[in-house]
Amino acid sequence: MQEEIYKRLHAPKLGPCDCSQARRFARKLSSLYDGLLSPEDLTITQYSLLADIERAGQLSHAVLAEKVGMERTTLTRNLRPLTRAKWVTAGTGKDRRQHLLQLTAAGRRKLVRSLPLWEEAQGQFLSQIGTESLQELRTLLTSSESAITKAFPASPEKP
């Protein structure tokens, strides 16, 4: 039994772990963006949340979670420093139970100051991978996400 497992681990029929490769790539890419955004004390996750909220104007927690593909509990954890810094606020919607996220004036200023840093990160990655490869990567990422969604339409949230 142990020998069989050893063989399968060292010569997998399905090739290298796709998830591990994708996560390694994502960590390296995040590190590039995080490094360039660091003068504004933002991570790429925080910058992206600010940008998504600004583009929407106002949106609910649930809609933002769906938009960024993040579990609501993870989103709450990632929004916490943004609300503490008073860059994001939750206002009441038409239904008083509904809380709509929106940027504050300070949040907009933070986003404006961070945009050139994000553009630098985006440009550095583009210069390394090239326009054609980047378009291919985007196409592959979109089709991969779609395949995962079709295979597992409702991923359960972790407790």
Side-chain angles (χ1 to χ4, degrees):
M1 174 82 135
Q2 197 167 11
E3 188 176 312
E4 175 63 25
I5 291 172
Y6 182 82
K7 285 181 187 176
R8 288 170 52 197
L9 282 174
H10 289 278
K13 292 179 187 176
L14 299 174
C17 179
D18 301 318
C19 185
S20 292
Q21 286 187 310
R23 290 175 67 112
R24 185 171 48 251
F25 165 72
R27 282 191 297 273
K28 287 184 178 189
L29 189 59
S30 292
S31 181
L32 167 68
Y33 283 77
D34 287 349
L36 288 166
L37 287 166
S38 67
E40 282 296 325
D41 293 321
L42 282 179
T43 65
I44 187 57
T45 301
Q46 293 168 333
Y47 173 85
S48 296
L49 291 173
L50 291 174
D52 284 333
I53 294 167
E54 178 61 18
R55 275 192 287 269
Q58 283 188 328
L59 74 169
S60 72
H61 204 248
V63 169
L64 181 58
E66 176 68 26
K67 183 177 188 59
V68 299
M70 198 179 281
E71 293 175 356
R72 287 194 308 251
T73 55
T74 304
L75 177 61
T76 297
R77 195 170 45 254
N78 281 286
L79 283 170
R80 201 168 291 134
L82 304 179
T83 55
R84 260 188 264 139
K86 299 189 182 339
W87 298 330
V88 173
T89 188
T92 305
K94 291 176 186 172
D95 177 344
R96 296 182 63 150
R97 295 171 294 174
Q98 185 181 36
H99 297 284
L100 299 176
L101 300 167
Q102 59 189 26
L103 292 192
T104 63
R108 279 189 202 86
R109 287 191 300 273
K110 178 59 99 173
L111 187 59
V112 167
R113 286 192 312 270
S114 303
L115 180 58
L117 302 174
W118 176 86
E119 289 171 332
E120 176 64 24
Q122 191 85 344
Q124 281 189 24
F125 182 59
L126 174 60
S127 73
Q128 291 301 308
I129 194 169
T131 306
E132 190 174 313
S133 292
L134 182 57
Q135 188 54 49
E136 290 172 10
L137 175 62
R138 288 175 177 161
T139 299
L140 283 170
L141 290 171
T142 299
S143 64
S144 297
E145 184 179 357
S146 178
I148 295 291
T149 302
K150 286 177 186 171
F152 306 99
S155 297
E157 286 202 26
K158 295 177 185 171

